[in-house]
Amino acid sequence: VAPDLKFWKDPIPVLVFSCNRAMAVRDHVQKLIKYRPSQERFPIIVSQDCDNEDVKKEVMAFGDKVQYIKHLAGDKTNITIPPNHRQYIAYYRIARHYKLALDHVFVDRGYTSVIITEDDLDISPDFFSYFSNTRYLLENDPKLWCVTAWNDNGKVP
């Protein structure tokens, strides 16, 4: 692949899933803003799925550096759960949140890519270059469904 094809030029939004951890979302978004090379190339969208006002206040404090979307809290919706799956109610609510947030990114906003994070994840300084330089792989390999930076063994150096 030619070097110019490796650097993805289209915007890749960062979708941050949040619920009720105000300080975690604040710290995570601060780090995203610190490391991102461009607000236009990497818009940050925080998606909240519960009714925690402190989370909303923290996100809104970033002003136009971050987009905020709020969904009706999962516990206030009529999610149909089979009787033999009642123990999985949290998973059904999380799946619903993912669907709503991803619909917002792909259907409502028309993006073709997304980077998904959660409010309690830590990121490294090369986070954005890693994803912008590996995005082309998804276009060139029909067997590849995602590029990930997840590391269960990450430790402070």
Side-chain angles (χ1 to χ4, degrees):
V1 175
D4 61 328
L5 294 178
K6 287 187 176 182
F7 184 78
W8 196 254
K9 293 173 182 56
D10 293 337
I12 307 173
V14 179
L15 179 59
V16 179
F17 283 87
S18 67
C19 180
N20 59 6
R21 297 181 289 215
M23 297 302 102
V25 77
R26 182 201 64 211
D27 295 346
H28 182 65
V29 172
Q30 281 177 338
K31 196 169 267 191
L32 287 170
I33 290 170
K34 176 183 176 182
Y35 292 143
R36 81 172 161 184
S38 164
Q39 183 171 341
E40 292 73 33
R41 287 191 47 238
F42 296 101
I44 299 168
I45 304 167
V46 178
S47 178
Q48 185 184 7
D49 192 40
C50 59
D51 295 327
N52 185 291
E53 280 298 314
D54 291 334
V55 167
K56 180 179 180 179
K57 287 177 191 170
E58 289 295 338
V59 175
M60 298 306 279
F62 290 105
D64 65 357
K65 295 178 184 175
V66 176
Q67 300 167 36
Y68 172 75
I69 56 174
K70 171 75 175 78
H71 309 286
L72 182 63
D75 60 349
K76 294 181 180 172
T77 61
N78 293 325
I79 301 173
T80 303
I81 301 172
N84 61 335
H85 283 195
R86 291 281 175 212
Q87 70 271 28
Y88 304 118
I89 191 166
Y91 294 104
Y92 278 80
R93 289 179 181 162
I94 292 168
R96 175 188 165 271
H97 186 187
Y98 266 74
K99 180 180 182 337
L100 293 171
L102 290 171
D103 277 351
H104 176 79
V105 168
F106 292 119
V107 177
D108 300 342
R109 302 299 307 262
Y111 291 111
T112 60
S113 306
V114 68
I115 300 169
I116 297 172
T117 68
E118 294 180 9
D119 56 13
D120 63 340
L121 294 180
D122 195 11
I123 63 166
S124 64
D126 65 349
F127 178 85
F128 290 100
S129 65
Y130 174 82
F131 284 110
S132 65
N133 285 294
T134 57
R135 171 58 179 86
Y136 81 96
L137 296 169
L138 297 171
E139 293 298 311
N140 294 334
D141 187 345
K143 297 176 191 166
L144 191 62
W145 288 79
C146 72
V147 173
T148 183
W150 181 258
N151 182 357
D152 278 330
N153 299 312
K155 301 199 185 315
V156 175

